[in-house]
Amino acid sequence: MAHISNHMNRGRIDGIKSRNGFSLLEMVIAIGVFASVLAISVQIVLSASDAQVRSSLQRAVQDNIRYSIEYMNKELRTARGITTLHNDGSSCGPQAFCERIRFTNDRAQQIMYCILNSVLIRSKPLDGAGGDCNPLDPESINIHLTSNDVTINSLFFYVAGNTAGSSDGQPIMTATINVTGTTGKARTAVNMHLQTTVVQRLRDF
């Protein structure tokens, strides 16, 4: 009887031991599964956050560029004597893509639009000086039209029909702009290529 009792007790103890705890292999597998699920979850959260940041940044860039383009277009519609120039100040040939545009606005001011330090600039004269996109001029002359989180990569103007005369003299101007919006993180940068066309209302004679 004692032998049988000892055998039963040993079997009960072995059964308890077999039901408690994990083996090393089971722990390694569990940790691996948990780490994989955690990594996937973190990646999903980061992707969703980046998508939200990109969406907000895209709207901000569009609003900023739309304001700048509308401001420029409004002034060009009532302009006179439109000419285009290269960055070095030399005149462009007819129907060429150029980096700067110069004209006389409806207040008889000489205005120029250009890019300085990746910013869209409206350069105007002040007390008879300036208005030629000189990078050394103060911000009272070189007015910034784009914000700090918008980088203008390129700006080109194309003008047709700007030869004065009764058969022409009413220029059609097309501007192409390539911009990048950033938040300091490369993965959330937004790049856009925009184009706008405007016709001068009054004919140059």
Side-chain angles (χ1 to χ4, degrees), residues 39-140:
I40 293 172
S41 300
V42 170
Q43 187 62 39
I44 291 173
V45 171
L46 289 177
S47 297
S49 176
D50 287 349
Q52 185 176 8
V53 170
R54 284 176 60 87
S55 178
S56 299
L57 181 60
Q58 188 171 18
R59 287 195 299 270
V61 172
Q62 286 177 337
D63 290 343
N64 187 229
I65 293 299
R66 186 181 298 115
Y67 164 79
S68 302
I69 289 176
E70 285 300 318
Y71 190 99
M72 182 173 62
N73 284 354
K74 182 179 179 181
E75 198 163 35
L76 283 168
R77 286 190 189 98
T78 57
R80 293 280 194 172
I82 294 174
T83 58
T84 51
L85 303 97
H86 293 296
N87 277 331
D88 60 4
S90 61
S91 297
C92 289
Q95 300 183 6
F97 287 93
C98 305
E99 298 86 359
R100 299 181 178 188
I101 191 166
R102 182 173 60 196
F103 56 90
T104 302
N105 66 8
D106 57 359
R107 294 183 296 278
Q109 293 177 316
Q110 280 282 107
I111 302 296
M112 182 180 288
Y113 282 90
C114 65
I115 298 299
L116 291 178
N117 299 320
S118 301
V119 175
L120 177 59
I121 297 294
R122 177 184 182 267
S123 188
K124 68 171 187 176
L126 184 65
D127 297 329
D132 56 358
C133 279
N134 185 340
L136 300 180
D137 284 338
E139 290 189 11
S140 57

Side-chain angles (χ1 to χ4, degrees), residues 14 27 56 77 94 97 114 119 133 138 158 162 168-169 177 201:
D14 290 342
M27 289 189 67
S56 299
R77 286 190 189 98
F97 287 93
C114 65
V119 175
C133 279
Y158 176 87
N162 58 331
D168 214 327
I177 307 175
R201 288 178 181 170

Side-chain angles (χ1 to χ4, degrees), residues 131-149:
D132 56 358
C133 279
N134 185 340
L136 300 180
D137 284 338
E139 290 189 11
S140 57
I141 293 177
N142 292 335
I143 301 171
H144 294 200
L145 294 181
T146 50
S147 61
N148 294 331
D149 55 354

Side-chain angles (χ1 to χ4, degrees), residues 80-81 162-170 200 202-205:
R80 293 280 194 172
N162 58 331
T163 302
S166 58
S167 62
D168 214 327
Q170 195 167 13
Q200 179 178 304
L202 302 177
R203 188 181 298 276
D204 289 328
F205 292 101

